[in-house]
Amino acid sequence: MTYGMLIDLSKCMGCRGCQVACKQWNDLPGEETSLGTDFTNPQKRSAYTWTTIDFLTAEVNGRTVATFTKSGCMHCLEPACESVCIAGAIKRQENGAVTIDHDKCIGCRYCQLGCPFGVPKYEYDKPVPRMQKCTLCYDRISEGLEPACAATCPSGAILFGEREELLALAKQRIAEGNGRYVDHVYGEHEAGGTAVMYISSVPLDLTTLNTGVTTESVPGFTWKAMRQLPALVGGAAVLSLGLMAYSNRRARLEAEQKGGGEA
Amino acid sequence: MSTMNATPKPTKLLRMEWWRWRMTPGKGLLLALFAAAAVVAVIRLFLGLGATTGLNDSMPWGLWKIFDVVVVVPLGATGFVMAFIRYFTPGGERYEYLNRRAVIWAAIMYLSMGVRLAFDIGIPWRIINPIVFGGNLHSPLFEIAWCVALYLIVLFFENISRVAEEQKRPWVKRADHLLHKILPGFVLVGVLLSTMHHSSLGTLFMITGKRMDPLWYHPWLNYVYLLTSIATGMAMMMVLETLTSRYYKLKFETGLLARLAPWVAGILSVVLIWRLGAMAAEGQIHQIFVPRVETALWWGEILLGYVAPIAILFSRARFTQKGLMAGGLLTVLGMIALRLNVGFTALMGALNAQYTPTIPEILFTVGATAGTVVIYTWFVETLPSILGPRKQETERLEAVGD
Ligand code: SF4
Ligand code: SF4
């Protein structure tokens, strides 16, 4: 069974309760922050801040609109991070949570490069660092609880449940909303489908969601090359052995010719 | 072992002298850089990556990955390409001594890469964990780790005869004789492992898909990397021979190397056409005229790293040492330019990254590279049969000038 979250951005009021709850439950230290052009704070996610409310202010038709986007790991159905991890430290668990085993991770940081959403963050400031990201509160959901952010959200913007049900609910809300929502469930197909999905009443490019992301399954990008390795090796073996046989034969013929001439 | 029942063998049977290496001012300078790199390595161990490098969450792979691994490995491609030529192609015996230089150079490059990578990964002492405890078969990086580890074993057997040739003990001779019989098997394994990991170094970057800058996006970047590695294997040999023959006053094998030149130029032509063709197929060929910094870098790479060496190595210039040196060097630089452009120019665009390597970071890369050159001279001077047939037992090799 795949659990997931449906984030209804139209219900988010930007209180950052989820951001605080995440820190609290996961025992993440506070960070020294500074203010940027909007109210996102800290301005970026890090190894110590796994989710943020991203504030975005924009002018639309002369009106100023402010949007809030909850950011974090999408818990892909086919995670790129898992597929590239050299150590097998990243696993998509049966319940849909994508987690990192710190005892296995060697710190190659390939997952950071592979994730199309830029999610995994590294403790670069530590001599013995860990790769960190949202775990979908794997520890909580294994015990039948909701993730800390979903449990906290006062406006019901973060719903936790089975992905299939949430997807149906998202579509139902869009259908019954009479145009209130943008007709797009973000995460249904993005990166080959994700367990965390979004619906929004403002156009998605007014949110901080990555609208340019591929809808293909990302692990396939490298797998298409990896799966050809047996053929490549076979071809190289045939070429090497064939050429060696030819060279040996030529050497033998040359030797015979020489021998024959002298006799 | 054989001394158990017989009278102890006189030590003069061991002609090996372990310290034939001579210090010169030039080597001293390289060693100083090497020492500086070691200092950076120690600091990095205690303070971590953040304190010593420009790495950050927006740019997870910096100089120590893109240069010290992705560039250094193909610099060592001499090993599998020359061994292939020596053992599998008609008349390969003539390449025996070139191959000796090629495989020791490759061994040094691969070992150096392994050590450098250990300092790049977050937890250095876990470097062999994925191999010992198992990893993830879907990861191109895991595939590279295995291939490189196994290839190091192959390189050991390809080089150990140089040590054996320094000894007179009968059992060493017998073992060496036996090894020579099965060596083509090792060479074959080495070639297969190399086709795998040289291509996988390109596969690494394919995970970014079309986020990659269209100037360097290629649907089969893995084969582009493999082909340029093969070309580099021969081209690096031209560079290595130029330096080695000058430094040790050897004959420069113009004839043998000139025979390789058309192959280098041919492979580069294929790659160039394929890269342009792939861009055209993506409908991105107009990108080469869009005025951007990236476009200038692309043109620089293509003109100096492909067009120029193709022209030189196909022309009659290939029958001169200068022509081979220039063509070889440009090919190697073109290989490096491709790796750096994909790893930095294109990747930083794809990840929207901010990254500037720090001085210590650069010092580590430069110093480690300088170190490999010193180690090469150490092996060449300690095991003179790398350079040519041994005439006298105790001849001393003169390192002349810098
Ligand atoms: S969003 Fe990134 S980190 Fe999260 S599961 Fe997908 S690939 Fe992995
Ligand atoms: S940094 Fe760790 S978790 Fe990420 S790919 Fe490397 S070993 Fe796996």
Side-chain angles (χ1 to χ4, degrees):
Chain A
M1 190 193 331
T2 297
Y3 284 112
M5 295 199 287
L6 175 63
I7 300 172
D8 186 339
L9 291 177
S10 73
K11 292 196 189 296
C12 173
M13 55 184 180
C15 74
R16 286 189 273 228
C18 49
Q19 202 178 312
V20 174
C22 176
K23 281 238 170 192
Q24 210 165 33
W25 178 258
N26 294 297
D27 247 336
L28 299 172
E31 289 183 275
E32 212 172 284
T33 63
S34 57
L35 221 49
T37 47
D38 48 40
F39 293 105
T40 313
N41 189 1
Q43 290 178 48
K44 279 180 189 156
R45 275 168 287 146
S46 72
Y48 312 107
T49 304
W50 298 348
T51 184
T52 51
I53 292 296
D54 292 342
F55 289 71
L56 190 135
T57 322
E59 289 291 321
V60 182
N61 299 335
R63 280 175 56 217
T64 303
V65 287
T67 64
F68 326 113
T69 314
K70 182 191 184 290
S71 73
C73 178
M74 302 291 291
H75 297 277
C76 305
L77 303 184
E78 295 172 79
C81 57
E82 177 191 44
S83 89
V84 297
C85 176
I86 182 174
I90 304 187
K91 274 265 144 355
R92 182 173 174 274
Q93 310 287 349
E94 251 160 53
N95 58 20
V98 178
T99 59
I100 305 180
D101 181 344
H102 299 308
D103 293 331
K104 280 195 182 160
C105 172
I106 67 168
C108 70
R109 312 183 301 282
Y110 196 7
C111 50
Q112 291 199 289
L113 199 152
C115 171
F117 303 99
V119 168
K121 303 287 180 194
Y122 206 46
E123 296 175 337
Y124 284 102
D125 52 335
K126 290 192 180 160
V128 186
R130 290 173 299 177
M131 189 58 73
Q132 297 280 32
K133 68 170 198 67
C134 156
T135 64
L136 199 64
C137 281
Y138 181 65
D139 47 356
R140 287 174 62 100
I141 63 177
S142 313
E143 298 297 328
L145 295 170
E146 292 180 295
C149 55
T152 297
C153 182
S155 55
I158 308 175
L159 299 174
F160 174 77
E162 265 182 64
R163 181 178 189 268
E164 288 311 307
E165 287 173 12
L166 292 175
L167 185 58
L169 176 66
K171 289 186 170 163
Q172 186 191 342
R173 282 197 184 173
I174 291 172
E176 289 170 3
N178 289 327
R180 215 171 91 73
Y181 289 99
V182 177
D183 187 13
H184 183 104
V185 183
Y186 186 89
E188 182 180 10
H189 300 298
E190 274 71 13
T194 59
V196 175
M197 295 169 294
Y198 292 79
I199 49 175
S200 164
S201 55
V202 297
L204 291 187
D205 34 329
L206 286 181
T207 69
T208 61
L209 293 174
N210 177 1
T211 47
V213 76
T214 176
T215 49
E216 287 169 68
S217 132
V218 183
F221 293 179
T222 46
W223 187 243
K224 78 166 186 183
M226 300 275 297
R227 60 194 288 215
Q228 292 195 352
L229 284 174
L232 177 66
V233 166
V238 169
L239 179 73
S240 304
L241 292 174
L243 205 52
M244 181 160 62
Y246 168 73
S247 309
N248 288 347
R249 205 177 105 88
R250 230 177 77 162
R252 208 174 337 107
L253 287 181
E254 270 169 24
E256 269 170 25
Q257 254 177 7
K258 258 194 208 154
E262 275 165 25
Chain B
M1 318 307 138
S2 57
T3 56
M4 292 284 276
N5 34 26
T7 49
K9 295 223 191 290
T11 41
K12 74 173 180 199
L13 271 190
L14 255 173
R15 354 182 251 201
M16 185 95 201
E17 263 181 72
W18 283 108
W19 209 258
R20 291 174 175 143
W21 186 77
R22 298 275 190 78
M23 184 72 152
T24 65
K27 287 175 190 163
L29 181 71
L30 296 178
L31 271 182
L33 286 169
F34 194 24
V39 172
V40 173
V42 172
I43 297 175
R44 175 254 170 271
L45 219 45
F46 285 98
L47 298 186
L49 285 171
T52 37
T53 69
L55 292 173
N56 57 73
D57 279 323
S58 75
M59 187 61 178
W61 285 6
L63 204 53
W64 294 359
K65 203 59 122 287
I66 307 295
F67 189 90
D68 295 63
V69 177
V70 182
V71 169
V72 167
V73 169
L75 286 180
T78 50
F80 90 101
V81 177
M82 295 311 294
F84 178 89
I85 293 170
R86 160 69 182 85
Y87 285 94
F88 298 153
T89 62
E93 313 76 54
R94 287 170 297 168
Y95 288 87
E96 171 64 22
Y97 289 96
L98 291 187
N99 180 42
R100 290 185 179 195
R101 262 94 83 182
V103 291
I104 189 65
W105 174 255
I108 295 165
M109 286 326 250
Y110 275 80
L111 275 175
S112 142
M113 180 281 273
V115 176
R116 301 180 199 202
L117 179 59
F119 287 98
D120 172 76
I121 65 169
I123 307 182
W125 49 93
R126 289 192 183 167
I127 180 132
I128 53 161
N129 280 22
I131 288 176
V132 178
F133 300 115
N136 170 13
L137 280 175
H138 281 252
S139 168
L141 206 52
F142 183 63
E143 197 268 317
I144 294 170
W146 260 109
C147 283
V148 167
L150 294 177
Y151 185 49
L152 275 172
I153 301 175
V154 170
L155 282 170
F156 174 82
F157 284 107
E158 287 181 342
N159 278 291
I160 196 64
S161 289
R162 302 301 97 71
V163 180
E165 279 152 18
E166 293 291 305
Q167 315 239 344
K168 271 188 172 170
R169 298 182 184 183
W171 71 268
V172 174
K173 291 262 168 263
R174 272 201 305 277
D176 192 37
H177 190 68
L178 192 72
L179 176 61
H180 274 291
K181 284 208 170 131
I182 55 171
L183 206 56
F186 279 110
V187 171
L188 177 64
V189 173
V191 167
L192 302 186
L193 290 170
S194 296
T195 53
M196 285 167 65
H197 69 255
H198 282 293
S199 62
S200 290
L201 282 166
T203 310
L204 286 180
F205 298 95
M206 290 167 68
I207 196 71
T208 51
K210 295 196 180 162
R211 287 194 284 160
M212 174 101 40
D213 193 294
L215 288 171
W216 287 280
Y217 171 81
H218 193 285
W220 298 103
L221 200 58
N222 53 332
Y223 296 126
V224 170
Y225 272 50
L226 175 60
L227 289 171
T228 48
S229 291
I230 295 172
T232 301
M234 294 182 268
M236 189 63 206
M237 203 63 223
M238 297 169 188
V239 176
L240 198 60
E241 279 306 292
T242 306
L243 299 175
T244 308
S245 67
R246 271 204 199 146
Y247 194 70
Y248 293 112
K249 295 254 192 282
L250 291 181
K251 174 173 172 283
F252 182 79
E253 299 283 1
T254 315
L256 291 180
L257 291 169
R259 292 166 65 97
L260 305 182
W263 289 95
V264 176
I267 293 172
L268 289 183
S269 310
V270 169
V271 174
L272 181 57
I273 292 168
W274 197 14
R275 283 181 66 180
L276 293 173
M279 256 161 114
E282 293 288 329
Q284 295 283 9
I285 196 76
H286 63 278
Q287 291 281 353
I288 66 176
F289 300 115
V290 177
R292 292 190 298 156
V293 180
E294 288 84 347
T295 315
L297 292 170
W298 185 89
W299 277 103
E301 180 195 329
I302 297 298
L303 292 179
L304 291 175
Y306 290 82
V307 178
I310 290 171
I312 294 172
L313 294 175
F314 268 144
S315 78
R316 301 202 51 79
R318 72 173 184 275
F319 297 111
T320 64
Q321 180 173 354
K322 275 212 182 81
L324 288 168
M325 169 70 184
L329 187 63
L330 286 170
T331 305
V332 173
L333 291 178
M335 178 282 288
I336 296 177
L338 171 65
R339 271 47 169 190
L340 296 186
N341 271 332
V342 168
F344 290 116
T345 317
L347 193 64
M348 284 172 68
L351 302 180
N352 202 358
Q354 276 86 47
Y355 167 77
T356 327
T358 62
I359 302 284
E361 202 174 356
I362 296 170
L363 204 55
F364 178 87
T365 298
V366 171
T369 309
T372 57
V373 176
V374 179
I375 295 170
Y376 175 71
T377 66
W378 187 87
F379 274 105
V380 168
E381 291 171 31
T382 308
L383 302 169
S385 63
I386 290 173
L387 290 185
R390 297 290 313 274
K391 275 162 264 134
Q392 239 122 52
E393 294 191 0
T394 48
E395 82 187 296
R396 266 202 110 87
L397 188 82
E398 289 298 315
V400 271
D402 272 278

